[in-house]
Amino acid sequence: MREPHHVQSLKRGLAVIRAFDADHPELTLSEVARICDLTRAAARRFLLTLADLGYVRTDGRHFSLTPRVLELGYAFLSSLSLPEVAAPHLERLVSQVHESSSLSILDGDDVVYVARVPTSRIMAVSINLGTRFPAYATSMGRVLLAALPEPDLQAYLTRARLDRLTAKTLTTPAALHTELARVAAQGYAIIDQELEEGLRAIAAPIHNRAGAVAGAVNISVHAARATLDTMRRRLLPPLLAATAAIDADLRLNAHHAARA
């Protein structure tokens, strides 16, 4: 049963925006209607309304998003103290290890990047703020999943699609649950080419003032540059030092906010 507050037109309008992605930067009216399960007339109304508001442009046949859609996500990202607190620590970490580092939070079944300091590009897909990846196949995602209460974790394992992204991806709930227990016990996660061939990453959690896991920070490397043992010996200590420093700043910020 639909909730009485449910606004179907808003839901459909957001679905139209989400129809565009890296694989479909331009869509025709018919394609939008098909992807969003709308009539052509309804899809046309939504697209023209978004065009009037400046979120969509069209050449008369094809539609595409404009940079203005970034405002929708920026309002959320800019309200977070977490990326602002973490940013200088990520920059110091990257200057120390000379590898890329990112900060993510868990949103549904995905991790969402909210801060990033890159070095060289090592992934086939570009990573920007707001980029999403399936949590089960990422180092940060496993850190965040491992921190879930057991009922929430079981619900995730029941509903999540564990697609085989590479030959090394864990794709069974039992294997993933075992790995998440290991992550929770050791306090960090390592991914070895499970999201993308040639990509390894190590991640550790960051905590809010109450001690709950608020996000995760990773260091990503090309597999040819670092073995798993090298990552534990060379990258894990500075990573843990950085996350501890972020934890301390978050507690300090919360203390100052409480006194203000």
Side-chain angles (χ1 to χ4, degrees):
M1 177 181 294
R2 185 175 303 155
E3 296 293 338
H5 58 260
H6 194 91
V7 181
Q8 188 71 8
S9 59
L10 176 59
K11 177 182 177 180
R12 290 175 175 172
L14 293 174
V16 169
I17 292 175
R18 294 175 63 185
F20 298 89
D21 57 26
D23 295 325
H24 306 91
E26 291 187 341
L27 294 169
T28 64
L29 171 60
S30 296
E31 289 169 334
V32 171
R34 175 179 54 80
I35 293 172
C36 300
D37 194 23
L38 297 171
T39 64
R40 282 175 52 86
R44 183 176 183 274
R45 288 196 301 273
F46 284 115
L47 286 167
L48 293 182
T49 299
L50 289 169
D52 289 342
L53 295 173
Y55 295 114
V56 165
R57 65 167 66 94
T58 181
D59 61 6
R61 171 173 169 75
H62 292 91
F63 295 83
S64 60
L65 299 180
T66 72
R68 189 169 189 178
V69 298
L70 295 174
E71 295 176 356
L72 302 176
Y74 183 76
F76 167 71
L77 293 176
S78 63
S79 70
L80 292 177
S81 63
L82 184 54
E84 296 174 350
V85 169
H89 298 287
L90 296 186
E91 291 170 0
R92 281 193 290 271
L93 178 60
V94 169
S95 68
Q96 182 179 0
V97 302
H98 307 293
E99 303 287 357
S100 299
S101 180
S102 304
L103 165 67
S104 287
I105 59 173
L106 189 65
D107 181 34
D109 295 346
D110 298 330
V111 292
V112 179
Y113 282 65
V114 296
R116 178 166 170 80
V117 179
T119 51
S120 59
R121 180 176 172 180
I122 62 174
M123 294 191 68
V125 296
S126 60
I127 300 177
N128 302 300
L129 297 189
T131 294
R132 306 173 73 94
F133 288 121
Y136 72 93
T138 66
S139 59
M140 291 184 288
R142 288 190 180 169
V143 164
L144 296 167
L145 291 173
L148 291 176
E150 187 62 24
D152 294 342
L153 178 56
Q154 288 297 333
Y156 168 82
L157 293 171
T158 298
R159 72 173 180 269
R161 283 186 51 183
L162 306 182
D163 294 327
R164 185 174 298 281
L165 305 177
T166 75
K168 293 191 173 186
T169 309
L170 293 183
T171 57
T172 67
L176 181 57
H177 190 269
T178 298
E179 179 59 22
L180 293 176
R182 187 193 340 270
V183 170
Q186 67 190 14
Y188 66 92
I190 288 185
I191 289 292
D192 181 16
Q193 305 180 80
E194 294 190 49
L195 178 66
E196 183 176 308
E197 295 284 352
L199 177 69
R200 289 176 174 148
I202 186 169
I206 53 178
H207 304 83
N208 60 25
R209 188 183 184 188
V213 172
V217 172
N218 84 341
I219 300 172
S220 53
V221 301
H222 195 283
R225 291 205 301 267
T227 65
L228 298 181
D229 183 60
T230 298
M231 293 176 70
R232 293 187 183 94
R233 289 187 292 103
R234 185 175 73 85
L235 301 181
L236 182 58
L239 173 64
L240 294 178
T243 55
I246 295 171
D247 286 357
D249 279 1
L250 288 173
R251 289 193 297 270
L252 184 62
N253 277 17
H255 176 70
H256 287 164
R259 295 184 60 184

